[in-house]
Amino acid sequence: MNNLIAKIFALLAVVLLAACTTSKSTISNSVNLSRYEYASVINNDTYRIPAELMEYEIMLYDAVENSHLQLISDVRIFELTPSQQEKLLLVKYGVNVKEDETIVTVNFIDYLSGRPVASCRGAYSTLGIAGASHDIKGAIKRVAKQISDTFHK
């Protein structure tokens, strides 16, 4: 009986700690996000997920594409007209896997000015119980919701 009670308390502690991870978006006060129509994910040596994690990169691209933004390849940016380039956001992402939580951050930067206009953060944790793969997927799902909420206002 005591073992059952201990397991219930442990489960409640895990649930409470997982609930403490916060997902959020930060948006510049001086920017109208509805004016942007295009997004290009920066995919260079600095912003690249290792090949063995490609499934997560696919999920990140899907998260951006599921906003109202149309994805443009970074090699085709120069084919856009100047008026289209005014409506372009560069997208940089990062994944930070820690023992206690996984955080995925997606940053949106105005192409012409280089000014960050929005940052979406998804955090998820099972405290290592379900494994890093599960935590990364959970964090990506949460950042996808933040992106959708941010760009569908």
Side-chain angles (χ1 to χ4, degrees), residues 59-90:
M59 293 172 71
L60 282 169
Y61 273 74
D62 286 348
V64 173
E65 196 169 47
N66 287 332
S67 68
H68 81 276
L69 301 170
Q70 179 184 342
L71 277 176
I72 303 292
S73 168
D74 56 347
V75 297
R76 301 195 70 193
I77 289 174
F78 299 108
E79 296 175 14
L80 297 174
T81 66
S83 66
Q84 289 173 318
Q85 288 178 354
E86 289 178 4
K87 300 173 184 177
L88 175 64
L89 289 170
L90 298 178

Side-chain angles (χ1 to χ4, degrees), residues 95-111:
V95 178
N96 188 0
V97 179
K98 298 185 213 173
E99 189 175 311
D100 57 335
E101 73 178 342
T102 298
I103 299 170
V104 175
T105 305
V106 181
N107 298 309
F108 296 87
I109 300 157
D110 182 270
Y111 174 71

